[in-house]
Amino acid sequence: MTVAVSLRAVSRHFGAVKALDAVDLDIEAGEFFAMLGPSGSGKTTCLRLIAGFEQPTSGHIEIFGERVEGVPPYRRSVNTVFQDYALFPHMNVIENVAYSLMLRKVPKAERLKTAEAALDLVQLGGYGARRPGQLSGGQRQRVALARAIVNKPKVLLLDEPLGALDLKLRESMQEELKSLQKRLGITFVFVTHDQGEALSMADRVAVFSDGRIRQVGTPEDIYQRPDTPFVADFVGSSNVLPPDLVERLAGVRRFASLRPEAIRLGGEARLTGTVVARSYLGPVTRLAIEAVGLKLHAIVPSGADLPGEGDTIGLGFDSVALHLMGTEP
Amino acid sequence: MRSDGDRAPLLLRLAAAGGLVYLLAPLAIIFVYAFTTEEKSFVWPPPGLTLKWFAVAWARPDISAALLLSLQVAAVATALALVLGTLTAAAVSRTRFFGRETISLLVILPIALPGIITGIALRSAFSTFSIPFSFWTIVLGHATFCIVVVYNNAVARFRRTSASLVEASMDLGADGFQTFRHVILPNIGTALLAGGMLAFALSFDEVIVTTFTAGQQQTLPLWMLEELIRPRQRPVTNVVAMFVVAATFLPILAAFYLTRGGDEIAGSGK
C-alpha cells in the first residue's frame, strides 16, 4: 500500500500553545480518512499543515514520498474544501471551478469543458453562469467540491465539509462524498467533530485531543475497542468505569469502557442504580442512571415496561462487553 | 402608532427645510455672484447677469497654473496614499502582531489632528532637515491625510472579505501576485476607488496644511484665499469656486455610491 500523507514527529506550536505535539500519522493512498476530535484538539491544524497554510515547528511531512516542509500551498498537489467554502464572490460558478485551470494557462475552451465536467460530477451541470450568492448552502458546498477536484489532486482535504448543512442534506451528502471518493480514487482526508460522521464515512479514523493523536483505527476499532477513556467517551459517549470498580467487576485494576447499548435491564444484575432521567429517542430510550457514585447511560429498546425516574433497577451486561483499557485516565 | 402613513409632523418638516436652507443658501449665493455684472463688490441683488467671467477665468494664466498644480498634487498624493494605505490596511487586518492596535490608531491620527498642527509639524520637520519647499513638500503634507482615507476604506473592506479566500486561491495554485490580481484586487477594488476619490477631493481643496508646506507656489484654494484678500475681478473667484465644488462634490458622490450596499461578507457563503 502506498502512503499518501506521512507525518513524522510533527509539532506546531503557537507560542506556548502546542496545537499539535509530536504527531506520527500515515494516511494510505485511496483511503477515506477522518480526523476526529473536539475543537482545539489539533485536527484542523493538522489539516492546514498538510495543505501548506501552516508550517510545522518541527518534524517532517511527506506527500507521496516528497518532503513538503517549506513548500507553499500553490506547489502542492493537494486541494482543500473550506469550511466556509471560500467561493470567490466576484466570479460565477464556472469561473470559480476553472480558477486553477486558468492559472495553469489551460486554453479557454478546454478549461470550460473540464470545469463543466467537474460540475456534472457534483450534479450541478448547467449552473455555471450563476453567482455563488445565488446558490443554496448545499449547492455552494458542491461548487467548492468541484473546484477542489477539477485539478485531480492527489489528496483532497475537507475541513468540516458538512458542518454548515442541515441534517437531511448532511446525510445525503455523506453518501455522495463516499461514492465520489470511490469513483475518483483520490485520497480524502476530512476533519470533523461529529463522531457519527467520522464512523459512517471513513475507512479509518484518527482521534485527536490536546494536540495529540489518541488512537488510529477503523471505525469498529475506535468504537468497540477504544484505547483510552477519552476515546471511549468522545466516540459514542461510552460509560467509562474507574479502575477500582473494574477490579471489583472483572478482577483487573484498569479503566474499562461499557457501551450504553450493552447494558440490559433485568437478567442477572451486576450493578444497581437509580434512574435520574429518561429520554425517548424513538426506537430506543436513553436512561441516565446513578449507580455506585457514577452517572451511567443505558440505551434500551423502547417499550411499555421501562422504569421511570426515581426507580431503582438492576443493570446487567455480558463480561465481553466490558472493554478493558489502560490505567491512565 | 402612526395613523397617517409615514409623514413627519409639520414642525419637523419645517425644521428640516430650515436646516437645508441654512446649509445651501450661502452656496447658492456664491453661484449667483459668478454671473453678476458688478465686479468691484458684491451687491444684492446683482444689477445684471453675464457669462463673461467664465471666459475671463478661462483666459487667466494664474488660474490655470494654480488649477494644474492642484490637480497634480491631488493625483500624486492620492497615488501615494493608495499604495501605502492599502498595504497598511492589509498588514493590520490580515496579520496579528505586537502593537497592531497602536499602529491602527497612529495611522488614523493625522485626520483627527487639527490641520494647523500637521502643518506646523511638517514645516518644522522640513526646515530641520533643510528640505526646500517644493511640489513634493505639498504632496507629502497632503499624503498624511489621504493615506487615512484610503486606509479606512480598505480596512473596512478587508474586514468584510473572508480570509479563506486568499487561502483558497493559494490552494488552487496561485502565488502571492496572482492571488492579489485575481482575488484581492477585484474584492477591494471599489473600496480603493472610493477611498482614492475621497482622498483626491480632500487634497484638492486643502488650505491649512498647504499654507505651511507650499513655498511660492499656489494651489487653487490658496489662489482663492488670496483673491478674497486682494480682489481683482471678484466674480472670477466665484466661477473658480463653482468649479471646485463640482470637482470635489462629484468624486465624493461617486465614492458614496460605490461603497454603498454590499453589506454581505464577501466569500463567507453559508
Side-chain angles (χ1 to χ4, degrees), chain A residues 48 51 53 73-74 78-80 82-91 99-100 102-103 140 147-148 151 164, chain B residues 162-176 178-179 182-184 186-187 266-270:
Chain A
R48 294 173 58 82
F53 303 133
Y74 50 88
V78 166
N79 283 123
T80 309
F82 290 82
Q83 190 175 8
D84 66 357
Y85 314 144
L87 299 180
F88 304 126
H90 58 291
M91 299 181 189
Y99 184 72
S100 60
M102 183 267 289
L103 292 170
R140 287 179 204 181
R147 187 177 69 174
N151 236 339
Chain B
S162 161
S164 57
L165 287 186
V166 172
E167 286 185 347
S169 170
M170 303 276 243
D171 187 68
L172 293 164
D175 58 28
Q178 289 170 316
T179 298
H182 295 298
V183 174
I184 299 177
N187 273 300
S268 91
K270 275 187 211 168

Side-chain angles (χ1 to χ4, degrees), chain A residues 173-243:
Chain A
M173 259 330 260
Q174 280 186 13
E175 287 163 25
E176 218 175 297
L177 276 177
K178 261 211 93 93
S179 83
L180 190 67
Q181 192 258 347
K182 283 225 173 67
R183 260 181 296 160
L184 295 170
I186 297 175
T187 312
F188 275 33
V189 180
F190 80 107
V191 153
T192 181
H193 63 265
D194 180 336
Q195 44 94 10
E197 214 169 277
L199 295 182
S200 68
M201 284 163 78
D203 298 322
R204 284 198 307 149
V205 181
V207 184
F208 283 72
S209 94
D210 297 326
R212 289 174 166 274
I213 292 181
R214 301 295 160 175
Q215 191 171 356
V216 184
T218 62
E220 289 80 10
D221 281 341
I222 300 278
Y223 188 79
Q224 301 293 348
R225 295 174 287 281
D227 282 349
T228 66
F230 171 80
V231 175
D233 179 51
F234 188 73
V235 183
S237 13
S238 195
N239 297 302
V240 174
L241 309 183

